[in-house]
Amino acid sequence: MLRIYTDKKLLDVPMIYDCDSAFEGIKLTNIDFTNRVLGEIELGEYVDEDTFKDRFGRNMYISNLSTSSKILLLASKCDNYALFCDEIGSNAVDFLLECINAIIYFEGRNIEFKTELIEPVSYNNKVYNTVHELNSAIAGGGVYIGN
Amino acid sequence: VFTLVIDVNEISIDLSLEKGKAYVLGTDGGTGKTYLYKLFNAYENFGDNVLPLTYEKRRDDSDIVKRINNFNGDVVLFDRFDLYFNKDFVNLCLDNGFMVLLDLKCDKYINSLKVQPVNFVRTKNRIEVKKW
């Protein structure tokens, strides 16, 4: 289950603060999620495990991916560290809902998800079943107050 | 409006903004904010009117203050500022009359500053940053 935190005290795993650096050594996998991140965030496409085509058709090493894409690709693989996600772009936030094993932490962002949940999501250790409930909880600091 | 046009590695960067003001480079990902930092970083080696700063794990605040105080150019760019945000850095830059560009997404930080959004346009050989 995707676990989202805004309360640092509740984290039970170490946190990766600099996701850009943590991405070092990661390889791209040619799967639907990677392709959609590259397509929608970079306006590019997958080439191989070390390179992608950028929005101008140039082959680039994956170290040149945006921080948002690096956070998403890391979140799709990492389930034993919390990822500091304040740096993620507004256009990338909803992709996090697809990272069903990730643990993510926001400190100062007003996050509102736009797409429906794939499966229940934990927010500060309480489980929410719909995006409406989740957004309400996040906006209210963790307490769902209903419609 | 102060205009600075610089060429780095066959990329032209055109900044037409006011000095003494701070601008947020937008909150979407993948637009090229860190790319702009890398270009500035390359340019810094042979130019002296941009100061690019980014997150470094083992650096303390006094080092950034020192770099700002020693800077005599026009533009300061804070890349990945969410990771080392300090309002005093921005105010120090503004007090010195620099144009300040911010890669900053945290709402609470943005709301604590007097900043303006910019139009950030990136093409294959050009980056253009102008007021909305």
Side-chain angles (χ1 to χ4, degrees):
Chain A
M1 179 186 294
L2 170 65
R3 293 158 63 192
I4 302 172
Y5 291 92
T6 53
D7 185 345
K8 202 182 278 182
K9 296 190 295 292
L10 298 176
L11 285 175
D12 56 359
V13 291
M15 182 154 66
I16 294 176
Y17 195 66
D18 182 359
C19 292
D20 203 285
S21 296
F23 189 76
E24 190 76 29
I26 295 276
K27 301 286 184 187
L28 293 185
T29 42
N30 187 10
I31 56 172
D32 178 64
F33 181 77
T34 305
N35 292 331
R36 284 189 295 111
V37 168
L38 295 178
E40 291 184 33
I41 308 299
E42 305 296 332
L43 306 183
E45 59 187 70
Y46 175 89
V47 174
D48 60 36
E49 62 180 21
D50 294 315
T51 52
F52 72 105
K53 216 175 266 291
D54 77 359
R55 64 184 61 204
F56 306 115
R58 299 176 296 206
N59 277 13
M60 308 285 277
Y61 287 113
I62 56 174
S63 58
N64 291 300
L65 285 167
S66 67
T67 305
S68 292
S69 292
K70 288 178 181 175
I71 290 173
L72 290 173
L73 296 171
L74 206 53
S76 70
K77 293 171 185 278
C78 180
D79 60 3
N80 53 351
Y81 286 89
L83 304 180
F84 183 83
C85 284
D86 274 11
E87 284 194 278
I88 198 165
S90 308
N91 54 342
V93 166
D94 273 52
F95 275 108
L96 286 171
L97 295 176
E98 298 182 43
C99 303
I100 55 174
N101 295 313
I103 307 162
I104 60 179
Y105 173 77
F106 289 107
E107 192 165 279
R109 292 287 295 278
N110 296 333
I111 294 299
E112 185 178 4
F113 295 103
K114 305 270 190 306
T115 54
E116 195 45 74
L117 307 185
I118 298 166
E119 59 172 55
V121 169
S122 161
Y123 169 61
N124 284 342
N125 289 342
K126 289 183 183 172
V127 177
Y128 298 89
N129 294 300
T130 69
V131 72
H132 174 67
E133 289 177 4
L134 178 63
N135 284 335
S136 299
I138 293 172
V143 181
Y144 176 55
I145 52 173
N147 294 316
Chain B
V1 173
F2 170 80
T3 298
L4 174 68
V5 180
I6 55 179
D7 292 301
V8 190
N9 303 339
E10 299 179 352
I11 310 283
S12 173
I13 305 168
D14 181 350
L15 304 171
S16 293
L17 300 166
E18 287 177 59
K19 289 181 71 175
K21 290 196 172 170
Y23 300 90
V24 176
L25 294 171
T27 57
D28 272 351
T31 56
K33 297 181 289 294
T34 295
Y35 181 61
L36 180 63
Y37 164 77
K38 286 179 179 176
L39 291 173
F40 271 5
N41 207 32
Y43 178 72
E44 195 192 18
N45 294 324
F46 55 91
D48 57 5
N49 51 1
V50 295
L51 174 60
L53 297 163
T54 193
Y55 174 71
E56 290 172 35
K57 192 176 179 184
R58 291 176 187 81
R59 177 183 59 192
D60 59 29
D61 288 359
S62 62
D63 177 59
I64 294 180
V65 170
K66 199 170 157 186
R67 289 192 67 184
I68 295 169
N69 281 329
N70 289 337
F71 179 57
N72 292 311
D74 303 304
V75 182
V76 180
L77 169 68
F78 291 92
D79 177 51
R80 307 184 69 202
F81 201 27
D82 294 290
L83 296 183
Y84 57 101
F85 177 81
N86 186 330
K87 194 176 172 179
D88 294 340
F89 297 160
V90 179
N91 288 333
L92 181 60
C93 290
L94 296 177
D95 289 347
N96 280 291
F98 304 140
M99 178 196 300
V100 184
L101 303 178
L102 305 169
D103 169 15
L104 183 64
K105 301 188 183 79
C106 260
D107 305 271
K108 74 172 180 184
Y109 296 154
I110 292 172
N111 293 338
S112 74
L113 298 168
K114 197 175 171 188
V115 292
Q116 298 177 36
V118 289
N119 195 15
F120 187 96
V121 180
R122 181 179 162 201
T123 59
K124 193 169 185 177
N125 300 106
R126 187 177 173 83
I127 292 178
E128 201 175 278
V129 187
K130 294 194 169 166
K131 285 177 91 167
W132 274 105

